[in-house]
Amino acid sequence: MKNKKIIYIIIVLILGLTVFGVTKIFTKDNNEEKTENKPSTTSSTTVTTTTTTSATTTTTTTTTQKKTTTKTTTKSTTTTKTTTTTKKVEEKTEKEDNGSLAGTSSKGYEITYKNGKYYVDGYLIVNKTYKLPSDYNPGSLDSKTKSAANEMFADFKAATGTKMWAQSGFRSYDTQKSIYERYVRRDGQKGADRYSARPGHSEHQSGLAFDVCVTGYSCISSGFNDTAPAKWLDANAYKYGFILRYPKGKENETGYKHESWHFRYVGEELAKKLYNDGDWITMEDYFGITSKYAD
């Protein structure tokens, strides 16, 4: 009896295991069939990053595809970064190689001071207000001044057959001092100041000015005024870069009476402007500066 129970239990166990195994196989096949009938989908993820720096744009696009059997996911992320750089520009009142700013003229031109000399809009100024240092000594006429003068003298001779030359060109501080003091002894300071510069205030010391003489005519005197050579110079000097420095009727501007023989080199561009179709404009009037001694 006992043995029959044991056999009965074994048979039941065997039948249970057999049924379990068959059921598992059937379920697996069914699941695989369902899976094969499901469509596969594709997930696409796109990330776009745009970076802009100082007008340069770089765009990078990365696309990642992932196969899945459950769902479709699409994610898009865009990041934009912009950087602007501004360069600061500094305005200087002191310019390299152009000296330091000494002021501004009544007409808005910058007056600079460099190595003891004054410049207005880049042009060296020498008059009763603005002087040269006593040790400034170029030794002779400036090379451009000399070259332009020689060209003008040659053209005058070709046109008239008469010789023209620079009788009085460069003068040192000490030479001007001696000349001025001699005139003061003769005419007094007030009288001398009308036609002779005090030392340091003479354009002759700059090496940019000279007095003209012509064969057969009065030299460096009022006798030269209204002569044919004086009229030729008045009408043609600007073509070579020279200006009539002390025009007639402009003593209140220049500080000196009319000198038809005294010319200053400034270059053709400015000379043409100051010529003004024969109605000369002084440097003082053009730039808006004074020409007066401090005392």
Side-chain angles (χ1 to χ4, degrees):
M1 188 69 178
K2 185 177 181 180
N3 290 334
K4 286 181 179 182
K5 289 182 178 179
I6 293 173
I7 293 171
Y8 178 76
I9 292 172
I10 292 172
I11 291 171
V12 171
L13 289 174
I14 291 172
L15 290 173
L17 290 173
T18 301
V19 173
F20 177 79
V22 172
T23 303
K24 185 174 183 181
I25 291 171
F26 178 79
T27 303
K28 180 178 180 181
D29 292 340
N30 189 43
N31 288 338
E32 287 180 354
E33 184 179 353
K34 290 181 179 179
T35 301
E36 288 175 357
N37 292 332
K38 281 189 177 182
S40 62
T41 58
T42 301
S43 172
S44 177
T45 301
T46 303
V47 178
T48 303
T49 302
T50 304
T51 303
T52 305
T53 303
S54 298
T56 301
T57 303
T58 304
T59 302
T60 305
T61 303
T62 305
T63 302
T64 305
Q65 293 186 334
K66 183 179 179 182
K67 187 174 182 182
T68 181
T69 60
T70 58
K71 60 181 179 179
T72 301
T73 303
T74 303
K75 184 178 181 181
S76 178
T77 304
T78 303
T79 304
T80 303
K81 182 179 180 182
T82 304
T83 303
T84 304
T85 303
T86 304
K87 184 178 180 182
K88 184 178 181 181
V89 180
E90 296 181 356
E91 294 184 0
K92 299 180 180 179
T93 57
E94 216 169 281
K95 300 177 181 178
E96 186 177 358
D97 296 329
N98 289 328
S100 59
L101 184 63
T104 304
S105 74
S106 64
K107 293 190 176 180
Y109 290 98
E110 285 190 352
I111 302 173
T112 55
Y113 182 75
K114 179 183 178 183
N115 298 328
K117 303 182 292 295
Y118 290 91
Y119 297 82
V120 179
D121 197 34
Y123 293 93
L124 178 64
I125 294 295
V126 185
N127 63 15
K128 291 183 177 182
T129 301
Y130 304 97
K131 66 181 297 186
L132 295 171
S134 59
D135 59 353
Y136 181 71
N137 189 336
S140 64
L141 287 178
D142 170 78
S143 60
K144 289 184 179 180
T145 302
K146 189 182 297 184
S147 177
N150 288 335
E151 182 181 0
M152 183 172 68
F153 296 158
D155 287 349
F156 175 79
K157 186 173 183 179
T160 66
T162 307
K163 182 181 179 181
M164 176 184 288
W165 70 95
Q167 176 65 24
S168 179
F170 168 74
R171 295 180 199 158
S172 67
Y173 180 93
D174 290 337
T175 298
Q176 185 64 31
K177 185 174 183 293
S178 297
I179 292 173
Y180 176 74
E181 290 175 348
R182 184 172 73 246
Y183 288 142
V184 170
R185 288 193 297 270
R186 188 186 72 183
D187 299 324
Q189 186 176 60
K190 186 176 180 179
D193 281 344
R194 291 190 63 200
Y195 61 84
S196 181
R198 297 178 186 181
H201 295 271
S202 172
E203 281 197 325
H204 288 280
Q205 188 184 344
S206 72
L208 298 172
F210 55 81
D211 296 331
V212 171
C213 282
V214 178
T215 300
Y217 293 87
S218 297
C219 187
I220 312 179
S221 73
S222 58
F224 187 71
N225 297 341
D226 299 321
T227 63
K231 292 178 181 179
W232 187 93
L233 286 167
D234 185 85
N236 294 282
Y238 78 93
K239 300 174 183 177
Y240 305 90
F242 294 103
I243 61 170
L244 179 62
R245 187 64 179 90
Y246 307 122
K248 190 175 182 179
K250 303 295 178 71
E251 184 175 348
N252 63 319
E253 297 173 14
T254 65
Y256 298 100
K257 66 180 185 178
H258 174 48
E259 292 186 358
S260 59
W261 57 88
H262 183 99
F263 290 86
R264 154 76 192 268
Y265 183 77
V266 295
E268 293 179 28
E269 182 179 357
L270 180 58
K272 184 177 181 179
K273 293 177 181 178
L274 299 185
Y275 173 63
N276 192 36
D277 293 327
D279 185 14
W280 285 99
I281 301 172
T282 66
M283 294 186 80
E284 286 75 15
D285 181 28
Y286 182 82
F287 289 120
I289 57 176
T290 62
S291 180
K292 297 179 180 179
Y293 291 129
D295 56 349

